[in-house]
Amino acid sequence: QVQLVESGGGLVQPGGSLTLSCAVSGIIFSIWTMAWYRQVPGKERELVATISSRGATTYADSVKSRFTISRDNAKNTVYLQMNRLKPEDAAVYYCKPVRKGIAWGKGNQVTVSS
């Protein structure tokens, strides 16, 4: 059974930084593209960033140049470094392998407020 445990969220002021972590177990982590998503109540879940098994990355336009996705295959962990945070970045953030049939984790709340 695949387990996804997101951590590192919290409250940060606008312009601040946070790093999210996602520990993954139950799959061969290194071969899968990993993704970070976010969701605000009442809105659809949004794809934020992806990182392939080889380290190629993609980003939503709204976070380009501010967020960085990375992975540590030795630790089965994917990260999301978030800089210059804006109030509109506030959401519950989820990580997930890009493959079918895997349930979402609990997510991690990020609040951006002064």
Side-chain angles (χ1 to χ4, degrees), residues 10-102:
L11 172 63
V12 64
Q13 292 187 343
S17 299
L18 278 177
T19 299
L20 302 181
S21 301
C22 175
V24 183
S25 60
I27 59 169
I28 303 174
F29 177 81
S30 61
I31 68 172
W32 291 100
T33 293
M34 293 295 301
W36 282 98
Y37 299 80
R38 65 187 181 187
Q39 189 169 27
V40 175
K43 291 191 175 182
E44 290 191 358
R45 198 165 280 157
E46 174 190 17
L47 177 62
V48 175
T50 67
I51 184 166
S52 74
S53 59
R54 295 187 177 186
T57 58
T58 66
Y59 296 94
D61 286 344
S62 58
V63 307
K64 273 181 185 175
S65 78
R66 298 189 299 120
F67 288 13
T68 302
I69 188 172
S70 61
R71 66 191 298 159
D72 185 336
N73 289 337
K75 296 182 178 180
N76 285 8
T77 300
V78 61
Y79 304 96
L80 188 67
Q81 171 71 41
M82 305 183 292
N83 297 325
R84 303 197 309 278
L85 282 159
K86 304 176 181 180
E88 52 264 42
D89 294 318
V92 179
Y93 283 73
Y94 302 86
C95 74
K96 197 168 177 295
V98 181
R99 56 171 276 188
K100 295 180 180 179
I102 295 179

